[in-house]
Amino acid sequence: MKTGSIMDMFEQGKVLKICAPMVRYSKLAFRSLVRKYNCDICFTPMIVATDFLRSVKARDSEFTTNERDRPLIVQFAAHDAQTLADAACVVAPFSDGVDLNCGCPQRWAMSSGYGACLINKPELVKDMVRHIRNQVDNPNYTASIKIRIHKDLRRTVDLCQKAESAGVSWITVHGRTAEERHQPVHYDAIKTIKDSVSVPVIANGDIKYLRDVESTHQLTGVDGVMAARGLLANPAMFAGYEDTPLQCIWDWVDFSIEQGTPFTCFHHHLIYMLERVSSQPERKVFNSLSSTSSVIEYLQNTYGTVQDIET
């Protein structure tokens, strides 16, 4: 992955397919898996910038990568510009950009001044973007933001235009307000934002199948789409599979073992992947398994190995 190519990717005119930052889930092994199935850009889980800077242990547990893990965006939660810029400088040699989380609606994040409460502080967001731009020594390194929308969309447009004036590289819009959870995505709002800035805009929310990528693009004109739950349920979604193919399940086993994924994480991902393809009694048995070897044995007995399909 040559430097500079994230912005070049937007220039190529195809709708980029992006794996969202997911707490506990979008770690290295999972990023390796979705990249194998046509994911263009991956995000790390959200990392709290102050903790990251304060402790080597936090850095080691929160941020693992390898040379194939590109293009990679590191997402930070922060509420002051210098801390964010310092954290960006630490990860810059190992990634292609940083993203400021302005969308997390969880109560702990909002009460600490992180996440979605930042959409109400456009001047601060502007300052934070400008600090990254000024302090990371690589002109091709991206500084992006991921936001939710306001009920009054004029405030969201104002936020995005201020971020643009500070040099934001691109903006991801989750098409819901901070209060909304499973309500329909406001595609009209995403389109309005796309039409009001000249930097690339990514749409996020309710991408469950490859066809949703195209329909979202048609509705909004965005430059890319970001999926979270859709990729958890089917990491091969961007390659056009309707459900998780068996090959993808075994690829996950391989990546997990190779990278030493903790059992709970390994198991949880499989619970998501098998949800649409297994029956209630099967799920009950699978969810109760408690070791990697019992999981592998179960998968072999229930679904067979990839070689079985090919013969």
Side-chain angles (χ1 to χ4, degrees), residues 6-299:
I6 285 226
M7 296 317 288
D8 296 344
M9 288 166 81
F10 285 114
E11 298 294 311
Q12 289 161 10
K14 66 167 192 155
V15 184
L16 295 184
K17 300 188 276 293
I18 301 173
C19 177
M22 292 178 274
V23 176
R24 294 188 302 282
Y25 293 122
S26 44
K27 297 207 164 175
L28 177 59
F30 188 69
R31 298 196 298 265
S32 307
L33 182 67
V34 294
R35 288 183 194 284
K36 186 172 175 182
Y37 290 92
N38 292 9
C39 183
D40 296 310
I41 299 170
C42 289
F43 273 60
T44 66
M46 178 182 82
I47 299 169
V48 178
T50 41
D51 299 347
F52 184 77
L53 290 171
R54 197 182 302 132
S55 131
V56 174
K57 194 172 167 211
R59 288 201 284 284
D60 290 345
S61 73
E62 293 288 343
F63 183 64
T64 42
T65 182
N66 61 28
E67 63 285 353
R68 297 184 304 282
D69 185 31
R70 307 294 281 269
L72 178 65
I73 303 295
V74 182
Q75 194 192 57
F76 284 113
H79 47 52
D80 80 282
Q82 193 51 55
T83 303
L84 178 63
D86 288 344
C89 290
V90 173
V91 297
F94 315 101
S95 57
D96 300 279
V98 293
D99 184 82
L100 172 63
N101 184 314
C102 305
C104 177
Q106 291 180 10
R107 203 171 285 123
W108 74 267
M110 306 259 292
S111 64
S112 310
Y114 301 135
C117 69
L118 289 175
I119 63 174
N120 301 319
K121 300 176 181 174
E123 291 301 333
L124 175 59
V125 171
K126 187 174 165 180
D127 193 33
M128 289 161 98
V129 170
R130 191 174 286 133
H131 266 67
I132 299 168
R133 275 267 169 261
N134 292 343
Q135 289 175 40
V136 174
D137 199 16
N138 171 0
N140 293 319
Y141 199 70
T142 63
S144 54
I145 60 174
K146 182 173 187 293
I147 65 169
R148 283 183 172 243
I149 58 173
H150 297 86
K151 279 201 178 68
D152 177 357
L153 206 56
R154 289 170 301 188
R155 295 178 63 196
T156 319
V157 168
D158 174 63
L159 168 73
C160 293
Q161 289 174 340
K162 285 198 164 89
E164 181 176 24
S165 71
V168 84
S169 308
W170 42 291
I171 298 169
T172 301
V173 183
H174 184 128
R176 294 183 173 99
T177 66
E179 293 72 44
E180 292 175 323
R181 288 299 178 269
H182 303 294
Q183 288 88 335
V185 170
H186 300 283
Y187 294 104
D188 51 339
I190 299 175
K191 184 180 187 326
T192 301
I193 293 161
K194 170 63 191 159
D195 292 343
S196 65
V197 292
S198 57
V199 294
V201 172
I202 306 292
N204 174 220
D206 284 357
I207 305 290
K208 302 228 171 35
Y209 298 97
L210 184 61
R211 57 179 174 271
D212 300 335
V213 173
E214 190 43 45
S215 58
T216 301
H217 173 66
Q218 295 292 339
L219 285 168
T220 59
V222 287
D223 305 272
V225 298
M226 177 184 279
R229 282 196 296 266
L231 280 175
L232 280 182
N234 176 10
M237 169 181 82
F238 284 149
Y241 291 92
E242 290 284 299
D243 292 307
T244 312
L246 186 57
Q247 175 70 58
C248 178
I249 288 168
W250 286 113
D251 285 338
W252 170 246
V253 173
D254 291 344
F255 282 126
S256 299
I257 290 171
E258 181 191 312
Q259 294 170 15
T261 304
F263 176 75
T264 355
C265 176
F266 167 68
H267 191 212
H268 274 173
H269 273 293
L270 286 167
I271 290 172
Y272 280 114
M273 287 180 213
L274 294 169
E275 196 166 11
R276 293 209 291 242
V277 295
S278 58
S279 65
Q280 185 74 43
E282 284 173 338
R283 283 203 293 276
K284 204 169 172 185
V285 172
F286 185 77
N287 295 1
S288 68
L289 300 174
S290 59
S291 72
T292 303
S293 54
S294 62
V295 165
I296 291 174
E297 191 181 338
Y298 176 91
L299 292 173

